[in-house]
């Protein structure tokens, strides 16, 4: 059945407003099929945050989300970054700035991200992963993290001056 079905029920044998009416053994035959939707991506998270490390000790610990794509049209699917401050991986070991996720009509893939090593001290590294292709509307996962400076503590009562020598 691909459109609405209307049923009309007629009664007979009744006089004026009185009488009786009954229906017995009414059967519907047919099948129900799922509604086909267009190509779509979904992610288990819309943002990953708190990527951090102390300067000189990068990269950050990795974080991940799962991408699901359904009813894709067979065009290539990619994941890319807006800046060069983060790295992506599909196996959690080999990282790059973008990922080729293949050509398929459906996809389920864990994607790992990390704040790359060698970055300067900065309180806010923001970026976004954009997943595109397959005929679907792009999906986006935002990223935020920071690189902090090394803390210096002193056990002397004298002020510490960076670059100065002790006398």
């Amino acid at each position: 059945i691909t459109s609405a079905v209307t049923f009309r029920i007629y009664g007979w044998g009744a006089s004026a407003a009185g009488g009786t009416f009954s229906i017995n053994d009414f059967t519907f035959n047919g099948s129900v099929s799922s509604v086909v939707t267009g190509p779509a991506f979904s992610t288990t998270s819309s943002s990953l945050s708190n990527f951090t490390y102390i300067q000189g000790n990068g990269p950050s610990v990795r974080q991940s989300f799962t991408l699901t794509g359904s009813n894709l049209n067979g065009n290539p699917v990619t994941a890319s970054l807006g800046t060069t401050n983060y790295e992506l991986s599909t196996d959690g070991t080999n990282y790059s700035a973008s990922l080729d996720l293949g050509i398929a009509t459906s996809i389920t893939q864990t994607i790992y991200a990390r704040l790359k090593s060698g970055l300067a001290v900065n309180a806010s590294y923001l970026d976004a992963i954009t997943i595109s292709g397959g005929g679907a509307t792009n999906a986006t996962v935002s990223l935020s993290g920071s690189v902090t400076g090394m803390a210096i503590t002193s056990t002397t009562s004298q002020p510490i001056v960076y670059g100065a020598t002790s006398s």
Side-chain angles (χ1 to χ4, degrees):
I1 301 173
T2 59
S3 61
V5 177
T6 303
F7 294 94
R8 283 199 180 139
I9 301 172
Y10 296 97
W12 62 89
S15 60
T20 59
F21 184 87
S22 67
I23 299 174
N24 293 324
D25 301 324
F26 203 82
T27 304
F28 294 93
N29 291 316
S31 62
V32 176
S33 60
S34 63
V35 176
V36 177
T37 60
F41 292 125
S42 65
T43 59
T44 54
S45 181
S46 62
S47 66
L48 301 175
S49 59
N50 299 318
F51 290 97
T52 188
Y53 65 86
I54 297 171
Q55 185 180 30
N57 294 312
S60 69
V61 173
R62 71 183 188 195
Q63 296 183 44
S64 66
F65 65 93
T66 300
L67 166 70
T68 303
S70 58
N71 300 315
L72 304 176
N73 66 8
N75 287 336
V77 175
T78 61
S80 58
L81 294 162
T83 71
T84 59
N85 300 321
Y86 287 84
E87 300 172 306
L88 303 175
S89 175
T90 56
D91 62 8
T93 302
N94 301 298
Y95 285 85
S96 63
S98 64
L99 300 172
D100 178 2
L101 301 174
I103 298 172
T105 55
S106 67
I107 186 172
T108 300
Q109 177 68 58
T110 299
I111 296 176
Y112 301 90
R114 69 183 184 186
L115 190 59
K116 71 188 254 183
S117 64
L119 298 174
V121 172
N122 188 332
S124 183
Y125 281 104
L126 303 176
D127 204 343
I129 302 169
T130 301
I131 296 110
S132 60
T137 300
N138 292 354
T140 303
V141 176
S142 62
L143 307 173
S144 64
S146 64
V147 175
T148 59
M150 186 178 298
I152 299 174
T153 58
S154 172
T155 58
T156 179
S157 61
Q158 300 298 315
I160 297 176
V161 178
Y162 180 76
T165 58
S166 175
S167 53

